[in-house]
Structure formats: C-alpha cells, structure tokens
Amino acid sequence: MTISTSVYQLNADRPDEATISLASRTILAGGLVAFPTETVYGLGAKALSEAAVAKIFAAKGRPPTDPLIAHIADFEQLPQIAINLPAIARQLASHFWPGPLTLVLHKSARVPANLTAGLDSVAVRMPDHPVALSLLRAVAVPIAAPSANLFSRPSPTSAQHVLDDLAGRVDVVLDAGNTPIGVESTILSLLHDPPCVLRPGGVPLEALRSVMPDIRYETRFVGEEVAASSPGSLLRHYSPRARVLLFSGLDEAKVFAAMRAEITRRERVGVIVSAADARQFTGLDVAIECLGADSGQAAARLFAGLRALDKRGLNFILARAPEKKGLGLALWDRLLRASVGSLIEV
Ligand code: TXA
Ligand code: MG
C-alpha cells in the first residue's frame, strides 16, 4: 500500500517546534516518522505498540527475526523498556548517553514481542541529535527506530536516501541534513559476561574499554541465516546492488596493484577509497568515491558513497580494508558486510 509522504526541512540545531509537534502527533497516532540521529536516519514508531512496530517491519521489508532498537530521551524512561539493570548500565549511560551506544538488556514485559523478535533481551539507546531528542521529548514515550532504509540497503545518512528507499511507505520525513557520524551505533550486550560488542559503531571499542576494560568483541558473521541468539549478524546487510570486493593486505603497494588489475580486467568498476588512496587510481577507467582524510570523514561518507556508486549502475565496487581501530573498526565491519564476506587477501 502506498501512503503519502510529507517531508519537512528542519534546522538540525534548533528544530522548529510546530514541525516537531506535528511529527509527534503522527507517532502518537501510530504512524511512521523518519528522523535524523547523530548516526543515521531512523524510521520511528511508538515502541510499546505492537501495531506501530509492525508497520516498521512492513515498510522496510525487514524479516521479523531482526529486532529493533528502542530510543529514549531520558534515563528515567529506561524501566519502561528494560528490567534488572546491572550497575554498569547506569555507568555506561552516564558516559556515553546521549550518544551512539546501544545497550542490550533484559526486556520489560511492556515491550511488544515483535520489537525484540521474540527475544527476552531488548536494545536501547539515547540518541545525540537535537531533532531526535526534541521528537522523543515531544512524544514522551520510547520510539522504536531501525535505520530508515529498505532491508539490506546501505543505511541512510540524508533525507534523500530515506526517500529513495521509503517514499510512499512512511508518513513523515524530518530532513535536517546529513547525519554527522554516518555509521550506526555500537551495540553492546550487557547480558554477556563480560559484556560483548555485537556491532562496532559510533562509539569506538577503545572508548568503551576505557570505562570497562574487559569488554569483548569477536567478529562473527553467519551467512544468510540469522540465529535468533545473534541477531544483526546477518551478513547481507548494507549491500549496494553492485558486488563489493574488499582488499586487505600488509603490503600497500601489492594491494593497490591487485585493485588496479581488477579494474583493468573488469567492466564498469568503481572504487571507494580515502583521498590519499584515490591517487592510486588516476588515469584508469574507474568511478572514484572519495572517503576523505580520516576515519571520521570516511564514516560520514561511506553509505552515501556506496549509494552514489550504485546509482551509476556499476558491476563492481572495490574498497581497501581500513585499519581496525577507532571508527575504522565500524568501517571495516560495514565494508565486509557490504562485500558479503568476499575479502580478498593480497
Ligand atoms: O545508530 C543506530 O543504531 C540506528 C539509529 C536509527 O539509532 N539504528 C539502527 O537500527 O542501526 P537497525 O535496526 O538498523 O540495527 C539494529 C540492530 C540490528 O542489527 C539488531 O539485530 C540489533 O540491533 N538488535 C536489536 N535488538 C537486539 C537484541 N535484543 N539483541 C541483540 N541485538 C539486537
Ligand atoms: Mg539497519
């Protein structure tokens, strides 16, 4: 079913109250509102309403086995979502909220089963964006929001990305420009002992470990199947339509040579690389998307870059595996997922 989608432009730092109030009425009436967070745009609906949550799954074409994140504006709202909070939850929240950290906790009985895909656990975060926080305060209830893209497409970092995927499937889009961080939140399970990062993201692992040194992180991808106990590890996430080939190796010169050979051998190829690396590909028949000077810029540009290359109808997109530190770990994770695991070790 197609619905009419209204788009409103907002100032990212001082969102207009009338627009926020309109969006909040849409949420409270059980509708869908796409809104910016500091990470990516989210597709929001009332978290404690099973019917509203069901609309999110339908709009995205998301499998019911993949649970959503509940968003709150205030630590006092947490008991509506989660129970039996460990002491470390408050400590981590006071360090990192509002911000790009999602905590996996025991779910409250009030949370509808479809939000958590039937799990006993629930994911919660407090986003650090004036538009998201204003909306959350206006509705005064938790908002469930996955990234506002169609299932398996790259996450949206602009309102245009949201519209490219979801026009006619969402009631309201709040457009406040590009999202500053550009990769999704770090997901940390406090139900594992020691706590375990399930998805690297906007809060670097090093920052988490400065508060809690024993936090674990293991890369663990399952192919097409998601085990109910490890949702979100579905490999075919963030995929553009072109095939992504991810090149890795200690010898830079060899890696670049392998990438250039691939470009020469194939037709309709693009690369998504740092500004410094881009120089390696001048003069070749290749579309270049530049990720900028550092991992912060690369995170902000990665999904837009993948979408831009995809619009050119390429067959292949080549990338170089980033260093797995700071935001680089999240970049590496997203590129590996985009490549559906086809890492080429040079
Ligand atoms: O930055 C973000 O986190 C963005 C913005 C909109 O807040 N949201 C986001 O949501 O990335 P989504 O749905 O695209 O990703 C949520 C991930 C999913 O991969 C899901 O599997 C995982 O969180 N997740 C949700 N509940 C979980 C749970 N109870 N246990 C383990 N993982 C969970
Ligand atoms: Mg997503």
Side-chain angles (χ1 to χ4, degrees), residues 40 60 62 66 146-150 152-156 184 199 237-238:
V40 301
K60 282 189 60 122
R62 182 175 176 116
D66 196 0
S147 49
N149 52 286
L150 282 175
S152 95
R153 298 271 301 138
S155 289
E184 305 88 337
R199 175 179 77 182
H237 242 120
Y238 317 105

Side-chain angles (χ1 to χ4, degrees), residues 30-171:
L32 297 179
V33 174
F35 61 95
T37 76
E38 78 282 30
T39 57
V40 301
Y41 275 75
L43 178 62
K46 257 191 302 190
L48 299 181
S49 157
E50 183 164 20
V53 167
K55 283 191 188 174
I56 294 178
F57 282 92
K60 282 189 60 122
R62 182 175 176 116
T65 47
D66 196 0
L68 308 181
I69 297 174
H71 294 67
I72 56 175
D74 194 310
F75 197 81
E76 305 314 313
Q77 286 180 313
L78 194 50
Q80 295 181 45
I81 299 292
I83 52 166
N84 304 336
L85 301 184
I88 186 70
R90 187 173 272 278
Q91 205 182 325
L92 287 164
S94 71
H95 265 89
F96 297 106
W97 283 359
L101 176 66
T102 294
L103 298 178
V104 175
L105 299 161
H106 287 291
K107 112 184 192 14
S108 134
R110 296 180 60 183
V111 174
N114 59 350
L115 185 136
T116 65
L119 299 174
D120 291 335
S121 60
V122 67
V124 195
R125 85 177 190 101
M126 189 189 297
D128 188 15
H129 192 293
V131 172
L133 287 172
S134 304
L135 181 64
L136 282 162
R137 291 194 187 110
V139 294
V141 293
I143 293 179
S147 49
N149 52 286
L150 282 175
F151 175 65
S152 95
R153 298 271 301 138
S155 289
T157 55
S158 74
Q160 188 57 52
H161 298 159
V162 176
L163 291 169
D164 287 346
D165 282 12
L166 297 176
R169 292 166 174 258
V170 48
D171 298 291

